């Protein structure tokens, strides 16, 4: 039986590594990785630090990580990173991590330097995968809305519109067997110079050179070419076991010689799309097992007693407002205030915990999230909120608990409304300024804006009266619990919001390896895959 070597992977615009994490997690029945992440390139220095730390993590066998790694992440990265990376027990792995995770900006860093990294990493391999997605701010609907008043020539000159050409340049030079490109749904409606950005990207990626073509396929609809409509490239993450309604455009490019030579693509194209999950995964399921925490108070002395007093004050105002009506909300508020007595902790960089506890999540996700050696939970610490915002959070979460949907500003007591011009003007999306993530449903899309405030990410448990922590947001994005995010809390939130959910990336990688295996079988009749299936 022929055992295939891992397929090399190059990851561009890698962020903190969500897409690469998914590809790296695919193994055969012997636990051997099917993909080998050779180079990951990221421009943000903090995200690059996260990326290189995870590269070091993967350099060790899964069950043989040194204690110093756990010491470092439990300490919140507070010990010297340089001292950790120079620890004698990880010297070789640190070298490998430095070879994989590269700090560079595509489009600005010398292309010759980037080409050298890729050439050395591929070592002449013909079969390999290119993954990644250009930054999405210029394409996103929210980003375009924020820049609506900007002069057309300024908006058109934004280099982010054309960063996909750096991805294209790598394709032209190195001719990957397959590629996976991810971007926001807004790219489908984005224009540049009067023409559709998405159509231009599809054309360029389909025919990068006169003698190089790719068949662009969807991960959710079988077929290619005219059979695929632009919306068919959208992956709705909640359909595939992600506890989040994250909708992204993801392209699956296959080099034409491989696509045309694979009878499997035409005989059984359904095997090269994602398999929807039987059930959706809710916020409550994803967050189960994490310790309940209280929020902090900002701009005043922060104590448990002061925090409880803030909630009681909100309860009194709500009692006057409801005037005998809205008894369901009033009941929820009273219960929340009583339960809040038990939430004295604000969390921290590490909390010791029985890590076998994840009672509600599906079995596969429990295995994916938990690491018994971690011995607890990292980066689960609450933000500080102003007293007025805590009043709104308490009302909003109790309203959602009672009515099963998040309130709009029109539902708020008048005394709780923000003193903001957009309130009086009833501007959208300000009317949805405070959004509760409903316990029984997948969350709304986690985006980098969470780094600025937590108003769109209010915890579903009213008694905790707060926004989501870094670890909770990481759970919604399906990062394993031992995945450590470098930087301060704001930078951690931004990294997570910009990432591809690793659990979704893993499923995408399984589709890719199924195709490559089918192609290899067609070229090598004597080859047979190992018994068993991808784990």
């Amino acid at each position: 039986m022929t055992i295939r070597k891992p397929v090399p992977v190059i990851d561009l615009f890698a962020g903190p590594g969500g897409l690469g994490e998914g590809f790296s997690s695919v193994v055969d029945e012997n636990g051997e990785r099917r993909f080998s992440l050779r180079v990951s390139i990221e421009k943000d220095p903090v995200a690059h630090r996260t990326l290189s730390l995870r590269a070091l993590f993967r350099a060790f066998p899964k069950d043989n990580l040194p204690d110093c790694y756990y010491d470092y992440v439990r300490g919140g990265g507070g010990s010297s990173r340089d001292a950790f990376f120079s620890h004698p027990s990880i010297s070789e792995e640190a070298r490998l991590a430095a070879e994989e995770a590269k700090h560079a900006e595509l489009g600005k860093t010398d292309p010759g330097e980037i080409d050298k990294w890729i050439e050395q990493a591929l070592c002449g391999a013909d079969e390999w995968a290119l993954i990644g997605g250009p930054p999405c701010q210029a394409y996103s609907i929210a980003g375009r809305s924020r820049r609506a008043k900007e002069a057309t020539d300024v908006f058109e000159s934004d280099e982010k519109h054309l960063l996909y050409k750096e991805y294209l340049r790598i394709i032209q030079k190195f001719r990957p067997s397959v590629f996976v490109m991810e971007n926001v749904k807004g790219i489908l409606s984005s224009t540049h110079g009067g023409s559709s950005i998405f159509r231009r990207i599809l054309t360029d990626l389909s025919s990068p050179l006169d003698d190089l073509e790719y068949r662009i396929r969807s991960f959710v609809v079988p077929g290619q070419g005219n059979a695929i409509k632009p919306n068919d490239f959208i992956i709705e993450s909640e359909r595939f076991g992600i506890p989040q309604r994250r909708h992204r455009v993801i392209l699956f490019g296959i080099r034409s010689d491989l696509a045309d030579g694979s009878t499997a693509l035409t005989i059984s194209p359904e095997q090269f799309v994602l398999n929807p999950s039987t059930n959706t995964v809710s916020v409550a399921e994803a967050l189960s097992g994490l310790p309940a925490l209280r929020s902090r108070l900002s701009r005043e002395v922060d104590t448990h007693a002061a925090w409880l007093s803030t909630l009681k004050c909100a309860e009194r105002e709500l009692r006057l407002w409801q005037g005998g009506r809205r008894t369901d909300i009033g009941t929820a508020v009273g219960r929340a205030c009583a339960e809040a007595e038990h939430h004295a902790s604000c969390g921290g960089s590490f909390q010791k915990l029985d890590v076998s506890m994840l009672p509600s999540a599906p079995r596969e996700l429990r295995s994916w999230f938990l690491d018994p050696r971690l011995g607890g939970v990292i980066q689960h610490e609450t933000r500080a909120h102003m007293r007025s915002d805590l009043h709104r959070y308490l009302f909003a979460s109790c309203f959602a608990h009672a009515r099963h949907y998040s309130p709009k500003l029109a539902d708020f007591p008048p005394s709780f409304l923000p003193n903001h011009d957009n309130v009086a003007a009833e501007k959208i999306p300000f009317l949805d300024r405070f959004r509760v993530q409903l316990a029984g449903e997948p969350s709304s899309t986690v985006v980098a804006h969470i780094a600025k405030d937590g108003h769109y990410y209010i915890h579903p448990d009213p008694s905790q009266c707060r926004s989501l922590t870094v670890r909770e947001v990481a759970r919604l994005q399906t990062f394993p619990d031992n995945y450590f995010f470098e930087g301060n809390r704001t930078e951690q939130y931004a990294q997570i919001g910009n990432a591809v959910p690793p659990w979704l990336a893993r499923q995408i990688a399984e589709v890719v390896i199924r195709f490559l295996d089918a192609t290899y079988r067609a070229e090598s009749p004597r080859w047979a895959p190992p018994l068993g299936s991808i784990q």
Side-chain angles (χ1 to χ4, degrees), residues 259-273:
D260 296 345
S262 173
T263 57
L265 284 177
T266 53
I267 294 174
S268 55
E270 67 281 352
Q271 69 175 301
F272 305 115
V273 295

Side-chain angles (χ1 to χ4, degrees), residues 135-141 143-144 147 155 158-162 184 190-191:
C136 62
Q137 294 94 326
Y139 305 137
S140 71
I141 294 172
R144 290 177 356 231
R147 301 175 61 175
F155 183 77
D158 189 334
E159 62 187 16
K160 295 186 182 70
H161 283 295
L162 301 177
V184 292
S190 183
T191 60

Side-chain angles (χ1 to χ4, degrees), residues 94-341:
R95 182 188 67 79
L96 293 173
E99 289 183 358
E100 177 193 315
K102 300 294 188 181
H103 181 211
E105 184 169 1
L106 291 155
K108 293 187 177 179
T109 301
D110 178 12
E113 182 74 4
I114 290 171
D115 291 349
K116 183 177 70 175
W117 295 337
I118 295 174
E119 186 173 2
Q120 291 174 347
L122 293 177
C123 297
D126 177 63
E127 182 184 69
W128 67 280
L130 178 69
I131 64 175
C136 62
Q137 294 94 326
Y139 305 137
S140 71
I141 294 172
R144 290 177 356 231
S145 175
R146 284 192 295 270
R147 301 175 61 175
K149 296 181 180 179
E150 196 169 66
T152 301
D153 57 340
V154 174
F155 183 77
E156 294 280 341
S157 65
D158 189 334
E159 62 187 16
K160 295 186 182 70
H161 283 295
L162 301 177
L163 271 177
Y164 81 90
K165 290 197 171 183
E166 295 302 315
Y167 195 96
L168 179 65
R169 189 190 71 79
I170 301 301
I171 290 175
Q172 291 169 329
K173 184 167 183 67
F174 293 100
R175 301 173 177 248
S177 309
V178 295
F179 66 78
V180 174
M181 178 186 258
E182 180 263 357
N183 220 293
V184 292
K185 187 170 66 171
I187 196 173
L188 298 180
S189 57
S190 183
T191 60
H192 187 263
S195 63
S196 166
I197 277 284
F198 184 66
R199 290 295 184 188
R200 189 186 311 181
I201 290 174
L202 277 185
T203 299
D204 288 347
L205 292 177
S206 296
S207 301
L209 295 169
D210 290 341
D211 64 341
L212 180 62
E213 294 185 353
Y214 284 83
R215 309 290 182 250
I216 312 298
R217 301 179 68 89
S218 163
F219 279 105
V220 292
V221 176
Q224 62 186 37
N226 293 332
I228 301 294
K229 302 178 180 65
N231 281 348
D232 291 336
F233 292 105
I234 298 173
I235 296 180
E236 299 176 345
S237 297
E238 70 273 18
R239 294 181 57 220
F240 304 99
I242 310 302
Q244 178 188 172
R245 290 189 176 91
R246 189 181 194 88
H247 298 174
R248 291 292 186 264
V249 170
I250 303 186
L251 310 179
F252 181 19
I254 303 173
R255 206 172 61 215
S256 60
D257 60 310
L258 298 177
D260 296 345
S262 173
T263 57
L265 284 177
T266 53
I267 294 174
S268 55
E270 67 281 352
Q271 69 175 301
F272 305 115
V273 295
L274 299 171
N275 296 316
S277 300
T278 305
N279 299 304
T280 58
V281 180
S282 69
V283 169
E285 289 173 316
L287 304 189
S288 65
L290 293 175
L293 305 174
R294 72 168 178 88
S295 56
R296 287 184 162 86
L297 284 166
S298 68
R299 303 184 185 181
E300 60 180 289
V301 176
D302 175 43
T303 64
H304 186 213
W307 179 73
L308 288 173
S309 174
T310 299
L311 270 57
K312 292 288 186 181
C313 178
E315 182 184 19
R316 287 192 296 272
E317 288 196 42
L318 288 169
R319 192 181 301 119
L320 292 172
W321 168 69
Q322 69 181 21
R325 296 171 291 121
R326 308 177 184 90
T327 55
D328 53 348
I329 300 173
T331 299
V333 170
R335 185 183 302 114
C337 289
E339 292 176 359
E341 298 275 356

Side-chain angles (χ1 to χ4, degrees), residues 509-525:
E510 289 173 341
V511 172
V512 172
I513 202 65
R514 280 201 296 272
F515 168 75
L516 293 175
D517 282 349
T519 303
Y520 193 85
R521 281 196 298 273
E523 294 176 350
S524 308

